[in-house]
Amino acid sequence: MTSLNEAALPGLARRLPVPTYDRSAVKTGIVHFGVGGFHRSHEAMFIDRLLNRGASQDWGICGVGVLPSDAQMRDTLTHQDGLYTLVLRAPDGTETPRVIGSITQYLFAPNDPGAVIAKLADPDTRIVSLTVTEGGYSINDSTGEFEPLAPDVVHDLQPEAVPCSVFGLITAALARRWEKGAPPFTVMSCDNIQGNGETARKALVSFARLKDANLADWISENVAFPNSMVDRITPVTTDADREAVCTNYQLTDAWPVVAEPFEQWVLEDTFTNGRPPLQDVGVQIVNDVEPYELMKLRLLNASHQVMSYLGYLAGYRYVHEVCSDPHFAEFILGYMAEEATPTLQPVPGIDLDAYRTELLRRFSNPAIQDTLARQMVDASERIPKFLLPVIREQLQLGGPIDRAVLVIAAWSRFLEAADEKGAPIEITDRRLHQLQMAVHADQAEPGAFLNLAEVFGDLGQNARFTAAYRQARAALQCSGALIAVQDLTDRSVSTRRTS
């Protein structure tokens, strides 16, 4: 059995593709915060593909971890010289493996924040990219404003504090570059947020302004924050995935990545200090990302929410299980076609009918083993970004909202922390206490859940929305998730036949 590291690459080349470039000659051009499964299946994969073309050797990646839990990734990548296996699994069970080598360094900020700041301030660093999750930007969903409430942010705003947060570290490095008269780097968000570049701008400039108003002005005027749309379903790595890599390729990899074959990255061509030629390796470089990101957020990401709470309450635990149920499949497609698509802009080069069909096919891939639980983490951050905008626009249009509202009702039922058979549900959400207090109030006064302004803003004041929610909540209480889905789907089919 071969352990994955730099010395093993020549021997591994007979079993699976490995980096063909001299990794020791690659310079760091990108520093990335949030080295998880998605980053390694997506941005790091694209950069590896670019490096394998024999050019762009100044665009290697230095990963950075800021959370104590990132120590495991540090230890794994250090032991493996930054290498890991990416395995793409098709619906028919076939696999395409590859060893990825674009991450050439990893820094752990809790141990040495100074090293991270020095790396960011290095002139060779021209892009700082982020996958820090929807909640990592400290932006209030209702107001759109930066809220410096997270403990690490509060710490970093103290005078003379040694930074420990993502934006504290970035601000400290930009301050050094500003003082030296050096050009800044680009800040490139790769998170699933509408206008992710603008969100990153808001967070960073707002944080910097609380430290130094003049620095904030310089950042606002000189740092580019390109918007992007990213897409590849990447479930959490399991022990079974590790064992499969070991069995299939005689390779010990402590943290491989498994993903679907589909890939998409649409990137706004706005950079401060140059960029790699990503268009040569399949990235769509465009002037306006918004139509693509709205399509993805309101069809793919919102559909994850659409299926998850209802599916979980109905007894399903995996995405492909839900999507193999014909009633759920019809429900999801109905949401996408009738509720989400009318809120989208025209998307250049995209057939939306084909895109929706392809999404359901991707969701139904049993080889991925994607869990519903993964999609429900921090729902109070995801639902306001993915699903509530569809409801808001359809309320303005006078269009249908029944499916989306049933999902909100199912979420409130899910937050009771027991499924329809009484089995306990483990819920991960940074607002869990507030959410469960709101659900408790809802039981006494149906509709009170919608008064949680941090999540719903002023939607709880909309009479049509609240009435639809009460009706959906009652249907779930009376008949359960599966019957509620079936009834709504049957009514929709009947309406289409008679219209």
Side-chain angles (χ1 to χ4, degrees):
M1 191 66 60
T2 303
S3 294
L4 182 57
N5 55 41
E6 185 73 29
L9 292 180
L12 285 174
R14 294 189 293 269
R15 301 179 215 164
L16 71 169
V18 301
T20 58
Y21 48 93
D22 179 1
R23 297 180 72 234
S24 67
V26 174
K27 293 197 302 183
T28 297
I30 301 171
V31 173
H32 181 81
F33 286 87
V35 181
F38 180 74
H39 168 69
R40 293 188 296 146
S41 79
H42 197 265
E43 180 185 353
M45 181 276 302
F46 280 106
I47 295 297
D48 179 77
R49 187 182 290 173
L50 192 63
L51 294 171
N52 273 307
R53 292 170 62 92
S56 304
Q57 302 299 296
D58 51 351
W59 289 108
I61 298 171
C62 171
V64 175
V66 298
L67 303 175
S69 58
D70 291 330
Q72 185 179 358
M73 183 63 74
R74 172 203 61 193
D75 294 344
T76 297
L77 290 180
T78 299
H79 181 71
Q80 296 182 178
D81 297 324
L83 299 165
Y84 62 93
T85 314
L86 174 62
V87 180
L88 307 183
R89 289 182 180 163
D92 63 3
T94 57
E95 293 188 351
T96 304
R98 178 171 210 96
V99 174
I100 304 295
S102 54
I103 300 176
T104 57
Q105 187 179 7
Y106 189 93
L107 298 175
F108 186 56
N111 282 0
D112 193 349
V116 175
I117 295 170
K119 191 69 176 179
L120 292 165
D122 189 315
D124 286 342
T125 298
R126 292 189 279 165
I127 294 175
V128 174
S129 56
L130 311 171
T131 47
V132 295
T133 77
E134 295 87 350
Y137 294 85
S138 298
I139 300 295
N140 183 295
D141 294 322
S142 299
T143 66
E145 296 303 315
F146 179 71
E147 286 191 342
L149 302 178
D152 57 347
V153 173
V154 171
H155 168 272
D156 285 2
L157 289 174
Q158 299 304 310
E160 307 303 322
V162 176
C164 64
S165 71
V166 171
F167 292 107
L169 293 162
I170 293 174
T171 298
L174 284 170
R176 287 193 187 179
R177 295 174 85 127
W178 178 45
E179 291 164 0
K180 294 179 179 179
F185 42 70
T186 294
V187 176
M188 182 176 72
S189 172
C190 297
D191 279 300
N192 283 315
I193 305 171
Q194 182 177 345
N196 54 11
E198 293 306 315
T199 298
R201 175 190 293 276
K202 168 69 77 171
L204 181 60
V205 173
S206 297
F207 178 94
R209 194 165 299 284
L210 294 172
K211 297 288 286 185
D212 183 329
N214 291 326
L215 172 62
D217 289 341
W218 181 80
I219 292 172
S220 181
E221 293 169 6
N222 293 280
V223 176
F225 297 84
N227 292 301
S228 68
M229 185 272 264
V230 296
D231 191 3
R232 168 166 268 171
I233 296 172
T234 309
V236 174
T237 301
T238 65
D239 288 339
D241 297 327
R242 295 179 179 89
E243 183 61 32
V245 169
C246 187
T247 300
N248 296 340
Y249 310 109
Q250 295 77 56
L251 176 61
T252 300
D253 183 342
W255 211 328
V257 182
V258 173
E260 64 170 339
F262 181 89
E263 63 183 48
Q264 190 173 23
W265 190 2
V266 183
L267 181 60
E268 185 180 17
D269 198 5
T270 304
F271 288 80
T272 304
N273 193 15
R275 64 167 175 83
L278 291 164
Q279 69 278 2
D280 295 343
V281 289
V283 178
Q284 295 170 257
I285 305 296
V286 299
N287 293 325
D288 184 9
V289 172
E290 185 177 14
Y292 299 91
E293 67 182 5
L294 285 176
M295 173 189 73
K296 194 255 182 168
L297 295 172
R298 297 186 182 183
L299 296 180
L300 185 149
N301 294 111
S303 289
H304 280 163
Q305 303 303 298
V306 166
M307 72 176 73
S308 291
Y309 310 96
L310 289 161
Y312 199 98
L313 292 173
Y316 296 118
R317 295 296 179 264
Y318 288 90
V319 172
H320 69 273
E321 293 175 337
V322 179
C323 295
S324 296
D325 182 314
H327 290 286
F328 271 101
E330 180 69 24
F331 182 83
I332 295 164
L333 284 171
Y335 158 77
M336 289 194 284
E338 298 179 26
E339 298 187 17
T341 299
T343 73
L344 302 180
Q345 304 171 12
V347 189
I350 301 291
D351 180 333
L352 289 175
D353 286 340
Y355 183 82
R356 293 191 296 265
T357 301
E358 172 70 5
L359 278 182
L360 192 64
R361 189 191 71 81
R362 292 169 60 196
F363 294 154
S364 302
N365 184 347
I368 294 300
Q369 293 286 300
D370 198 10
T371 64
L372 297 178
R374 181 185 74 88
Q375 300 178 163
M376 297 185 290
V377 172
D378 283 334
S380 67
E381 297 286 348
R382 298 184 183 204
I383 284 177
K385 292 178 174 67
F386 304 153
L387 193 62
L388 294 187
V390 172
I391 294 174
R392 288 182 183 278
E393 291 204 28
Q394 285 289 27
L395 287 171
Q396 293 176 356
L397 295 169
I401 59 171
D402 289 346
R403 294 176 183 83
V405 172
L406 183 60
V407 174
I408 302 300
W411 180 36
S412 70
R413 169 66 184 82
F414 177 86
L415 286 165
E416 294 177 8
D419 68 15
E420 292 175 353
K421 295 182 180 179
I425 298 173
E426 183 177 342
I427 302 171
T428 302
D429 197 298
R430 66 194 69 200
R431 292 192 178 102
L432 183 57
H433 177 70
Q434 293 172 275
L435 293 166
Q436 292 188 326
M437 291 289 290
V439 167
H440 181 73
D442 201 72
Q443 293 167 348
E445 181 187 349
F449 179 60
L450 307 180
N451 294 330
L452 187 58
E454 294 92 333
V455 174
F456 296 103
D458 61 356
L459 270 176
Q461 310 306 310
N462 186 285
R464 182 184 169 205
F465 177 55
T466 55
Y469 169 82
R470 293 190 189 100
Q471 182 178 354
R473 195 65 165 85
L476 286 172
Q477 201 70 31
C478 177
S479 58
L482 183 58
I483 298 302
V485 166
Q486 290 175 347
D487 287 348
L488 200 158
T489 299
D490 290 344
R491 289 201 307 272
S492 177
V493 171
S494 176
T495 300
R496 288 201 300 269
R497 285 174 178 169
T498 58
S499 61

